Amino acid sequence: MTTQGSALWPIGARLSRVEDEPLLRGQGRFLADLKRPGMLHARFLRSPIAHARLQSLDLSSARAVPGVIAAWSATDLLGRLALSRLPVAMPGKAVRGPADPPVLAAEEICHIGEAIAVVVADTPFAADDGVAALRPLFDPLPVVADPQAALDPGAPLARAELKDNLIAAFESGYGDVEAGLKDAPIRITRRFRLNKGAAHSVETRGVMAEPDPVQPDGLILWSSTQMPHRVRAVVAATLGMPELSLRVIAPDVGGGFGPKFVTYPEEVVIAALARSLGRPVRWIEDRAENFVATTQERLQVWEVTVAANADGSLRAISGTLVQDCGAYLPYGLTVPQNASTNLLGPYRLPAYRLSVRCAATNLVPVTPTRGAGRPQGTFVMERMLDAVADAAALSRIEVRRRNLIAASDMPYRTALQTRDGNAMIYDSGDYPACLEQAVSAATALGFGQRPASSPDTRMGVGVSCYVEGTGRGPFESARVRVDPAGQIEVSTGAAAQGQGTATVLTQVAAAVLGVSPASVVIRAGDTAAVPHGLGAFASRQAPVAGAAVRLAAEAVRDKALRVAAARLEVAPSDLEIVDGVVQIVGVPGDGIALADIARALCGMPGFPLPAGEAPGLQADIAFEPPGLCYANGVHVAEVEVDPLTGQVRVTRMLVVHDCGVALNPTLVEGQVIGGTLHGIGMALHEEVLVDAEGRIRNAPYPASVVPGAWDAPKINVLHRESPTPFNPLGAKGAGEGGTIGAPAAVIAAIEDALRPLSLALSELPMTPARLAARIANARP
Amino acid sequence: MTPAAFSYHAPSTLSDALRLLEDGSAMPLAGGQSLMPTLIARAIAPGAIVDLNRIQDFPDVELEPGRLRTGALVRMQQVIDHPDIAQNLPLLHQAVSHIGHRAIRNRGTLVGSLCQLDPWAEVPLVACALEASLLIAGPSGPRQARFSEFAAAPNRPLLAPGELVVAADWPLWRPEHGAGFSEVARRPNDPALACAAALILLDENRHIQRAVLAIGAVCPLPIRCHQLEALLVGKSADDLRAITTDMIEADLSGHVIRDDALADAAYRRHLAPIVAARAVEQAVSRAR
Amino acid sequence: MTNRIPMSLQLNGRSLNVAIEARETLADLLRDHLGHTGTHIGCQQGHCGACTVLVDGNSVRACLMLAVQANGSIVDTVEGLAPAGEPLHPLQQALRAHHALQCGFCTPGIEMTLIDLLKRQASPTEADIRAALAGHLCRCTGYQNLIEAVLSLDGNKGPGWR
């Protein structure tokens, strides 16, 4: 009935968020805010050393501390687990060795912060006292602290069970790269180093578990997680309990950004403790722990050669990528896989080959943070294009014009496959028009014309283009139900981490059902809401969960119309729903309220249901997107550089962003602005500094690496809409695009500001110290 | 994390506090902005905490001819708001506005920063430049110590067991002097990577009569640049050559250059002449 | 049996008597004993600002104050800005209207800092607002909408402003 992409209020409206009021009042319910009667407090003993044999651990000193109820090591857990390792491996042939993390480290400790034991007490103080009383003894083993060194022949093993540290290897590519490279008029090789970073959400992790008061042998687990259904699957399997007996709930989550979609050992341990002790147990991660117990991202070293024609058009890209994976693979190879495919960007690239080697090291395990490897692939492509532009004496904008995929080529079938084996197809988007819009908007705003604020500083402008595969499947679930009071209940496997998921889903349901948003209630982040679900990652809540909700709401609407039509003796096509009342089109009054229809479908014992319908005014849908839908955008960055100190300030940013139909433009802008600042942080400051012993040198200070209010430029956001054909909303994901394109634009802008020095900046973050050193080396 | 257990005392007089501090495992607590994180992380585990915040005996801000006295509980924010300090100690006033954020400054104390002796801290740098002195009370009676002696090592003031700093005395320069302060940090109010404090007095011909230059955050403790100061004396304010790396090197030689997660030694070395030049320039421009 | 110290304080206008362990922080007291979980703990070092409250009218980090140090003090937390059942405080309304929060974890601390700022400066400039927000980490919003929300108040605080 409603055509895809057409605005049906409040889809597309700048609705204020339904989440806001309790959060503003301080009535949010984050993990650390949850309390249960008789709750115990857990603390973990973590390794201060990156690689060692655990020689001995005497728990009696902890057990003797007043207030301590229990202390467990891996040995104590053994009898309580069906599996000693978390079954988190992802399908695929690239992984070459065991990579699942243990629940508690038993004999070999493989990264700093790895959990060795847990102490449970009646107060957090006593739990810390218990951990402080423990004196583990370690036999140090050689530390593998660098992925390249890890892959050198004869390097010590990061984990004794491995044959070597090459934990995974794969190739991405297509076409005749040799032909492309041969005799190319322009041929440039660059190395890139993208240093380790982390998500640093302001809320750390936490887990609470309690025996289910209603279900015998049941357990309720709360976790600050982005993927409750996956947590349920992994924890149930590890504990050897049926999934039916385990309910996992994500409360309000204070930012996820990736690492909170990993399932962690702590979730298993806390569940096991609650089960065994028969009492609620809660663990709150502190900031220092967050630096070593929550996953991190990157360290990537690339060596890439680009070949182009004299007119700047690309011929081939060939290269290698060494990816640090840390000690285990709790979430597969997403980062290098996405980096390798996203390198293509919105460009025509005739031939491509990237050889990826993933190293096991004694560092904290690597999983995606915002952008999930795409910012890195985009960064490499954008920097190579800038190098081609300089070599071809073209402007950096012109070189992009000459390589962008044309609108008439859409949908554009690249020759790559995504990790699920499907062809990577860009479904919709007008990349050249997006670039032109960005260029003219930035020009109109005076980018590049603003004078420096002092005689010693220099201004510069940089541009980057990106694409992002969003709406990752394989599915998301939604149940829409109208209850007899007329309230619309939307249950979904979607999970929120602050992006306004509930608001967007409310808008979709309200639009389709013709009700006020106030009568919609969203149940998300709870495995009891729907039997199957995935959750929040890869910019998918709007396109996948939103689509599921739309389809379910349409099914409910169609059912309501059928029932009403039978009662009113008209055709369903003669009816509409206005303010929750089904009425004849244009004839208010004399309608039937949805609540009445819902009541009728509840059934009375012995009486038939209306019109041969199934019970309940509800529908369950699992939406399976046919493929990733590709958002795209252009970032223009204006920076001010102090060549003396190397300090860089991003003064302004412009982002032209296309996420298809924007379900709530205000929320989309919020994601683009927040994501862009996140990317600026990646470009200039974000780095987890690791020493040769695998210890983190700049823990536990997130403030030194995360952008603050003084780092935040004015970010102008312009929307474009290229609806996707892959879901009935026409919407694409919006959560990560800001991050994906920002780093390349910022670095390009720095090079522009220092143009006479012809710097080729290829390391992230480009901290003041690094930039000052590069400037000093470049000066004659 | 949470602190290890300790007994808590909140004396209302200085003498009560000193008595409690005779216990070797007792630590004083004033602003707490440095102490509390270490306590919470269990990096330290004192047996007792002696809270100084209820003591009435400390001086407040007292302006006397030639010096300004700040008592142990004078907060950083008070330093920014106090008109006597803005007027008479512009260097201190300017330096403190680079510190932390309002909530930190509302609790953190000036004297606390002097006792903490963090290498990157602005207040010890100013104390070094102004040649401040500390009034100390203890079991052996009251004494006065020059900052240069007091600052024995980073995070290790020269205090005997049971001693407590009661106030800091800041010598005043003539009203015509110019004060300059320059800092490079990752962002405003982050820990300094390098900072410099300069004081300049001009004679009636606008030649430099007296010059002080101190550099902080580059070495483990703030250092005075005596050789550079000597070079500056006699120069015309309107004809100052730029402070070059070589000129600073002479004063830095023999000192350890800090290398840590925030910045390596090479970058700090690079920044030292930059902040020095900026501070001197500012001081000269403000001298009358 | 751990030693408990009796203390009293005024919390959002209500007088309370409690008994706490010496090593509890003000944040612990508010969150664990007094049911006021709006004040959040993000770093325990004073950097992230999520725990900011007002003590005797001054903004402080509740995670860096021992609870006992607030004995006899007046403490204001986010819950006091708009008591239950009452409409949102004008500052909160402005934050909502400008989409100045996403996950909401940093928000209460920011609200208290902004209340403190606006008490002292009815019409802060953008630089004043940035300086105030510089003491807070927000990983979601990019700060931009927060700044615009405060600028929109521009001295016109109207009725309901405390």
Side-chain angles (χ1 to χ4, degrees), chain A residues 43 124-125 128-129 132 286 642 644-647 685 689 697-698 703-708 710-711 768-769 772, chain B residues 1-5 40 42 183-190 193 259-264 267 270-271 274 278:
Chain A
R43 288 305 264 163
F125 300 115
D128 280 334
D129 293 341
D286 69 29
D642 181 340
L644 275 183
T645 62
Q647 289 174 297
H685 301 294
L689 288 170
R697 299 175 63 208
N698 57 343
S704 63
V705 294
V706 161
W710 287 117
D711 300 307
Chain B
M1 240 210 283
T2 59
I40 290 165
R42 295 202 186 206
E183 177 171 309
V184 172
R186 173 150 117 54
R187 310 173 288 193
N189 297 62
D190 271 14
L193 304 181
D259 193 307
D260 65 10
L262 282 180
D264 59 20
Y267 188 54
H270 174 84
L271 290 176
I274 296 171
R278 289 178 179 174

